[in-house]
Amino acid sequence: NEEPLLRGLKLGASPDGIICHGDGTVEVLEVKNHCPFNINRVRSGLRGGNSRNKGNKSTSLATGNYLIRDFELEARVPPQYIPQLMMEILCVGSSVNLDDQSSQAPVCQSAVMVRQTATRGAILLRLQRDEEFISEMLFWLGEFKSRFVDTGCMPKENFFWSDDPSSRYRKFLDQTKRLSESVTEVATIDNSDIQRQLSEKGRAPLFLDRA
């Protein structure tokens, strides 16, 4: 896809799948399998000692330097995935609606994300297309190209950050967070209903060396 805001930068996106509906519209599908492991800081000799992460409690299952955590699924898309989903929506959305080729509206108006865990099943979430966010996302991609790619300058850490909360980039970050919490829940899938490879003991091994 090519947009004026990108200042000549050409982009593409590759969702994990595309959901085709009977009315000619499509949704992009993105699947994220959350890592079930935490570092066992006590066993590893790392500072901090506590193996628990905020919002995620680790179980007593442990092998070597790792713990298996019970990942509590929330009905939200982690903010870092919002640009990925919006880019996929943008690129797929420029396709032609075969049922109504006279329509000027983008075919793809939403994305479905599957968040799957090793111990707590999965949750399906829907994110709606947001034209304002897409426009800002393209602006900042164009800024990155003009400031760093075209000039050959190495970007510094947090290169767009501003201490001013009213700055354009801070507003973009706030918008990203709001979108991550605006998704709708499509369905939840119990862990027992997810097909997994079974070991001789009847349950999926989380450490392959113990399979």
Side-chain angles (χ1 to χ4, degrees):
N1 202 343
E2 189 172 3
E3 296 283 343
L5 288 173
L6 294 175
R7 305 173 194 182
L9 181 65
K10 295 183 178 180
L11 297 176
S14 55
D16 292 326
I18 296 178
I19 304 171
C20 300
H21 295 282
D23 62 358
T25 61
V26 298
E27 293 182 291
V28 297
L29 175 66
E30 190 65 35
V31 180
K32 299 296 182 184
N33 292 291
H34 294 287
C35 177
F37 305 124
N38 270 353
I39 295 176
N40 186 348
R41 295 183 177 274
V42 175
R43 179 68 180 272
S44 302
L46 299 177
R47 297 180 64 181
N50 189 347
S51 62
R52 297 190 177 193
N53 284 347
K54 183 178 180 181
N56 302 319
K57 58 180 181 179
S58 298
T59 70
S60 60
L61 298 174
T63 294
N65 295 326
Y66 295 93
L67 297 173
I68 297 173
R69 61 180 177 176
D70 273 327
F71 196 103
E72 298 285 355
L73 280 175
E74 299 176 305
R76 61 188 289 272
V77 170
Q80 63 267 30
Y81 298 133
I82 297 296
Q84 178 186 7
L85 293 176
M86 287 297 180
M87 184 64 70
E88 292 173 355
I89 290 174
L90 172 66
C91 293
V92 174
S94 63
S95 303
V96 176
N97 186 337
L98 297 179
D99 289 341
D100 184 9
Q101 298 188 33
S102 64
S103 174
Q104 299 299 311
V107 168
C108 186
Q109 292 291 335
S110 56
V112 172
M113 171 175 274
V114 180
R115 299 184 64 189
Q116 182 168 291
T117 68
T119 60
R120 291 298 182 97
I123 187 170
L124 281 67
L125 305 167
R126 176 173 284 118
L127 174 70
Q128 297 295 329
R129 183 186 184 108
D130 189 293
E131 297 295 347
E132 181 182 356
F133 180 89
I134 289 175
S135 179
E136 279 297 286
M137 177 179 66
L138 298 182
F139 169 80
W140 289 109
L141 285 170
E143 281 291 292
F144 185 88
K145 178 180 184 296
S146 63
R147 292 190 193 185
F148 306 113
V149 178
D150 293 344
T151 62
C153 295
M154 179 68 69
K156 299 179 180 179
E157 184 177 358
N158 296 326
F159 41 85
F160 286 142
W161 178 257
S162 170
D163 291 330
D164 180 5
S166 64
S167 68
R168 183 169 182 173
Y169 186 64
R170 290 283 293 273
K171 289 180 179 179
F172 178 62
L173 295 182
D174 290 341
Q175 186 181 17
T176 304
K177 186 175 184 296
R178 287 195 301 271
L179 285 174
S180 77
E181 299 170 349
S182 71
V183 297
T184 56
E185 183 177 324
V186 178
T188 56
I189 303 175
D190 189 82
N191 195 54
S192 62
D193 293 328
I194 297 178
Q195 293 182 347
R196 303 184 190 274
Q197 181 181 358
L198 299 180
S199 67
E200 294 179 356
K201 296 181 179 179
R203 67 187 179 95
L206 295 180
F207 292 100
L208 296 180
D209 60 346
R210 297 296 181 91

